[in-house]
Amino acid sequence: MPKAYQLSNEEMSKILHLKLLCKTVKEIFQLLNHFKSMIYRELTRKTSYEPKPRSGRPRVTDIRSDRRIQRMASSQKMSVREITGASRLQISKNTVHRRITESGYMIHAKMARRLLLSKLHISKILQWTRNHMSYDDKWMTVLFSGEKNGT
């Protein structure tokens, strides 16, 4: 079931102002294009109008903790898991990720750039390939494996 629509303070003040100008509920309805029952309910309310607090679980982090999480993510290039461990709160990775995306300025983080090969690495690779170019038929007997230890 959807939540009931709540009038803003501005809309409520318009309704009260029109009532003070001796407008009827029907006239207010036609001017503001709100339901008659909603206008009538707000006019007969005995308490002052204040929006109801939303239900749900309260936040684990406060504004200060949110800023600390955002700062760690943006300046120290820490992963979500590292931030979770470094924070002094008992929060999940999902909470940390949610706080980072709520900040708005860190939607997608750039990957760390891979270091380019140095000239020494390039020369060693070229030397190895030149040494093994003459293998011709020997390459047919070499077994390539994804294992590190060669088994």
Side-chain angles (χ1 to χ4, degrees), residues 1-5:
M1 189 168 173
K3 292 182 179 177
Y5 175 75

Side-chain angles (χ1 to χ4, degrees), residues 58-70 89 91 95 99 102:
R59 290 173 71 107
V60 176
T61 59
D62 57 348
I63 296 170
R64 191 176 206 170
S65 302
D66 293 345
R67 280 197 310 260
R68 188 181 319 117
I69 289 169
Q70 292 164 6
L89 302 168
I91 53 177
T95 302
R99 296 303 178 262
E102 282 174 2

Side-chain angles (χ1 to χ4, degrees), residues 7-18:
L7 293 172
S8 67
N9 290 336
E10 182 181 339
E11 292 170 327
M12 189 59 203
S13 63
K14 285 180 184 178
I15 291 172
L16 294 174
H17 179 71
L18 290 171

Side-chain angles (χ1 to χ4, degrees), residues 68 72 78 81-89:
R68 188 181 319 117
M72 280 193 271
M78 295 173 75
R81 184 171 294 182
E82 292 169 343
I83 293 171
T84 304
S87 69
R88 297 178 206 138
L89 302 168

Side-chain angles (χ1 to χ4, degrees), residues 76-148:
Q76 298 175 7
K77 303 293 183 194
M78 295 173 75
S79 69
V80 173
R81 184 171 294 182
E82 292 169 343
I83 293 171
T84 304
S87 69
R88 297 178 206 138
L89 302 168
Q90 188 174 357
I91 53 177
S92 68
K93 292 185 307 184
N94 293 337
T95 302
V96 171
H97 189 265
R98 210 175 308 116
R99 296 303 178 262
I100 292 170
T101 54
E102 282 174 2
S103 69
Y105 63 86
M106 277 197 67
I107 297 171
H108 301 287
K110 292 183 179 178
M111 290 178 59
R113 290 187 58 120
R114 185 174 62 97
L115 295 175
L116 300 175
L117 292 175
S118 67
K119 293 186 179 192
L120 176 67
H121 290 129
I122 293 171
S123 64
K124 286 189 175 187
I125 291 170
L126 284 173
Q127 183 64 36
W128 186 89
T129 53
R130 286 187 184 126
N131 291 342
H132 293 84
M133 277 176 54
S134 61
Y135 263 38
D136 291 336
D137 293 334
K138 292 181 186 177
W139 284 115
M140 300 304 280
T141 60
V142 175
L143 177 66
F144 290 97
S145 170
E147 299 296 324
K148 291 182 180 180

